[in-house]
Amino acid sequence: PVATMATEQFEMEPGELDPYGYVIAAIGFACFTHFYGSIKVSLARKRYNINYPKLYAESSDAHNVEFNCVQRAHQQTLEWLAMCQLLAAVNGMVFPKAAAFFLCVWTLGKLLYIHGYSSGKPNGRRFGGLVAHMGDIPLVIMSFVSANKLLGGLIP
């Protein structure tokens, strides 16, 4: 049955849209969290004179809090980027539009998170973090719903 489903996916009429395309677009959009975070860290390295190979500024560095906020914003985003993209890709096989939507919510939240946290004030991350969780938590829950659906509704 799975092979049949996969074959049917490629037998589309001209002009017909495959909703999985939304998932692919959302996965690409999520990459902008990495790009944005990388740019912010590079600019902060120059501004605060924190050179490689230092990952974080030390307490003796004049702007350690400001730099470390920017770096943590980027690192914490990277910690979840691949997981959210994978969850969207897998859930998108069952619920393509919902998976794409929640990944886009996560992406917007993380862009806000990076922007807010990069202000040098750790509390600046809260709003973006809340928005991001409105995307990642549904993706995690959706994985169980998708699994249940693909397994024939074992869980009523």
Side-chain angles (χ1 to χ4, degrees):
V2 174
T4 305
M5 287 172 43
T7 303
E8 289 174 7
Q9 288 289 349
F10 294 104
E11 295 176 9
M12 297 172 50
E13 296 295 323
E16 183 181 2
L17 299 178
D18 184 340
Y20 197 78
Y22 295 117
V23 176
I24 296 169
I27 289 170
F29 179 49
C31 293
F32 284 95
T33 60
H34 170 60
F35 303 149
Y36 182 57
S38 294
I39 291 167
K40 295 288 269 185
V41 170
S42 292
L43 293 173
R45 280 190 180 283
K46 289 178 185 175
R47 180 182 307 133
Y48 303 125
N49 197 30
I50 307 296
N51 298 313
Y52 286 107
K54 281 187 185 179
L55 185 58
Y56 291 99
E58 297 172 11
S59 58
S60 60
D61 292 314
H63 297 281
N64 66 326
V65 173
E66 294 91 340
F67 177 78
N68 288 343
C69 283
V70 177
Q71 181 69 315
R72 276 310 297 152
H74 186 227
Q75 290 297 313
Q76 289 174 337
T77 299
L78 291 178
E79 290 167 5
W80 273 90
L81 176 60
M83 181 63 66
C84 287
Q85 288 175 315
L86 177 64
L87 285 168
V90 172
N91 287 316
M93 290 188 266
V94 181
F95 303 108
K97 289 181 181 177
F101 172 77
F102 287 121
L103 183 58
C104 287
V105 169
W106 179 86
T107 299
L108 289 172
K110 279 301 182 176
L111 292 170
L112 292 168
Y113 178 89
I114 292 167
H115 179 75
Y117 205 170
S118 295
S119 69
K121 297 176 182 155
N123 286 342
R125 71 184 191 263
R126 289 188 177 166
F127 178 71
L130 177 64
V131 173
H133 285 317
M134 290 170 34
D136 60 22
I137 292 171
L139 284 169
V140 171
I141 294 168
M142 193 185 306
S143 67
F144 295 102
V145 177
S146 295
N148 186 54
K149 185 171 180 181
L150 291 173
L151 292 171
L154 295 175
I155 303 169

